[in-house]
């Protein structure tokens, strides 16, 4: 497995990332979206932002750090995540507006810049995203590259993501990834991803197909609101904690495939640290503990290949 952490994302899943999407929080009433296929639902507005309480999150995470120097910060307004800085790539993001739009940007010291906009968002009755469009613009060294893609999501009656289809294309490249999730007793127990990518070079078209499967086990440790990234870094953690793609597992994962996971809990019983095979992966902070957070170095340099949709950059 290529990823630093299963919690942080299975990077091998998408080879570079299909910005499959974004958050998993759902809103106000947990009415079912069992048969939503991306064509239904309503266009999101600022009043449709999921509330952490409605997602079963008892204590919202306000910061996350990693041993690699990554630092995320989350800002909440009336119980909804509305802005902050992402753990992966240090993207400054905002979530809001009417209609609902999610924007992210990052600038590097060498003059490179990155912008992403997620729009045309449709949501189910619980606030989970059923479809959206992503556009990306990356500039640097006198050139500007643009790409775009879209995705659709389906949820079960408990507002948990059961299927997602992500697509992107350019004149020389196309990519489609399909995720299928299996849930049991409120916990994600299996994720299967299939993908097809086609690339045209000098008049020849090459097609690649892939399959990934991950199985998860639990030991009854209750989850106060930590999201497990089961879809790669292409799903930014701020989208998960904003709740725009459904509810998290009710328990903390203990063993995905051959990896043994464990957690530390603070005096209030909240997850404060997450380990894989005994190695610290992430530390979590809350309103009353964020003051204890210590910077762990500068945020890791952005890796362009991990951006959102898997795409062949288009000028």
């Amino acid at each position: 497995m290529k990823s630093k952490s299963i919690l942080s994302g299975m990077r091998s899943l998408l080879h570079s990332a299909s910005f499959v999407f974004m958050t998993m929080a759902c809103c106000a009433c947990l009415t079912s979206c069992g048969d939503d296929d991306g064509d239904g639902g309503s266009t999101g507005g600022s009043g449709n932002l999921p509330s952490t309480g409605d997602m079963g999150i008892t204590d919202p995470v306000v910061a996350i750090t990693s041993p690699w120097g990554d630092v995320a910060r989350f800002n909440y307004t009336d119980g909804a995540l509305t802005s902050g800085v992402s753990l992966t790539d240090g993207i400054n993001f905002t979530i809001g507006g009417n209609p609902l739009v999610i924007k992210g940007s990052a600038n590097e010291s060498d003059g490179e810049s990155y912008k992403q906009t997620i729009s045309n968002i449709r949501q189910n009755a619980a606030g989970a995203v059923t479809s959206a469009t992503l556009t990306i613009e990356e500039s640097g060294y006198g050139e500007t590259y643009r790409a775009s893609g879209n995705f659709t999501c389906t949820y079960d009656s408990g507002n948990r993501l059961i299927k997602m289809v992500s697509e992107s294309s350019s004149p020389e490249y196309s990519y489609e990834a399909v995720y299928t999730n299996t849930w049991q007793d409120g916990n994600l127990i299996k994720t299967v991803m299939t993908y097809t990518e086609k690339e045209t070079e000098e008049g020849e078209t090459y097609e690649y197909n892939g399959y990934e499967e991950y199985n998860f086990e639990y030991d009854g440790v209750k989850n106060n609101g930590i999201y497990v990234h089961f879809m790669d870094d292409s799903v930014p953690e701020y989208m998960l904690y904003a709740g725009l793609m459904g509810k998290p597992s009710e328990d903390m994962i203990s063993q995905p495939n051959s990896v043994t996971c464990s957690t530390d809990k603070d005096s209030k019983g909240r997850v404060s640290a997450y380990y894989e095979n005994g190695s610290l992966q992430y530390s979590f902070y809350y309103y009353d503990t964020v003051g204890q957070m210590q910077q762990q170095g500068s945020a890791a340099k952005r890796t362009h290949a991990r951006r959102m949709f898997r795409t062949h950059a288009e000028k």
Side-chain angles (χ1 to χ4, degrees), residues 52 56 78 88 99-100 114 122 149 171 184 197 200 231 245 254 272 281 289:
T52 56
D78 297 327
T88 303
L100 180 63
Y114 172 85
R122 300 187 71 83
Q184 180 176 301
E197 53 184 325
T200 301
M231 289 176 293
M245 283 171 64
S254 65
S272 59
Q281 303 296 312
T289 62

Side-chain angles (χ1 to χ4, degrees), residues 36-304:
D36 278 345
D37 59 5
D39 295 326
S42 60
T43 302
S46 59
N48 288 10
L49 286 180
S51 166
T52 56
D54 295 320
M55 296 306 300
I57 298 174
T58 58
D59 291 275
V61 172
V62 299
I64 306 173
T65 62
S66 80
W68 305 283
D70 305 300
V71 179
R73 291 182 179 273
F74 301 149
N75 303 314
Y76 298 85
T77 302
D78 297 327
L81 178 57
T82 55
S83 66
V85 179
S86 71
L87 186 71
T88 303
D89 300 335
I91 295 175
N92 294 286
F93 66 88
T94 59
I95 304 172
N98 193 358
L100 180 63
V101 176
I102 300 164
K103 295 182 178 181
S105 64
N107 296 289
E108 296 186 0
S109 58
D110 59 6
E112 289 187 89
S113 64
Y114 172 85
K115 296 179 181 179
Q116 71 183 39
T117 301
I118 299 155
S119 58
N120 299 319
I121 298 171
R122 300 187 71 83
Q123 297 167 272
N124 65 12
V129 172
T130 57
S131 66
T133 300
L134 172 73
T135 57
I136 295 172
E137 180 178 297
E138 204 157 354
S139 301
Y141 306 102
E143 296 182 306
T144 298
Y145 297 90
R146 297 180 177 88
S148 63
N150 59 78
F151 74 93
T152 59
C153 296
T154 305
Y155 303 83
D156 66 12
S157 61
N159 205 26
R160 292 184 170 89
L161 182 65
I162 57 176
K163 185 176 181 180
M164 180 164 57
V165 179
S166 170
E167 301 174 302
S168 62
S169 64
S170 74
E172 298 86 17
Y173 186 88
S174 66
Y175 183 84
E176 178 180 275
V178 179
Y179 295 87
T180 304
N181 297 327
T182 302
W183 298 77
Q184 180 176 301
D185 298 326
N187 292 319
L188 177 68
I189 61 172
K190 183 178 181 179
T191 291
V192 172
M193 191 275 277
T194 60
Y195 68 88
T196 299
E197 53 184 325
K198 297 180 181 179
E199 188 167 7
T200 301
E201 293 182 0
E202 299 179 351
E204 295 288 335
T205 299
Y206 303 90
E207 181 173 321
Y208 309 91
N209 296 285
Y211 175 93
E212 299 283 349
E213 178 177 323
Y214 293 87
N215 296 282
F216 306 91
E217 297 179 8
Y218 300 83
D219 57 11
V221 176
K222 289 301 178 183
N223 181 11
N224 57 271
I226 304 300
Y227 279 90
V228 175
H229 290 204
F230 54 88
M231 289 176 293
D232 193 80
D233 281 340
S234 54
V235 183
E237 77 290 332
Y238 61 85
M239 299 305 297
L240 297 174
Y241 284 92
L244 296 174
M245 283 171 64
K247 296 181 69 176
S249 290
E250 292 188 5
D251 298 324
M252 280 300 296
I253 192 170
S254 65
Q255 188 168 345
N257 288 5
S258 60
V259 177
T260 299
C261 304
S262 59
T263 60
D264 287 341
K265 293 204 169 187
D266 63 18
S267 59
K268 295 185 178 181
R270 302 169 299 192
V271 175
S272 59
Y274 168 83
Y275 302 82
E276 289 179 2
N277 293 332
S279 177
L280 176 65
Q281 303 296 312
Y282 294 102
S283 298
F284 301 93
Y285 301 88
Y286 306 90
Y287 285 114
D288 58 339
T289 62
V290 69
Q292 303 169 14
M293 184 178 72
Q294 297 182 359
Q295 295 290 342
Q296 302 182 45
S298 60
K301 181 179 175 62
R302 293 188 303 121
T303 302
H304 298 256

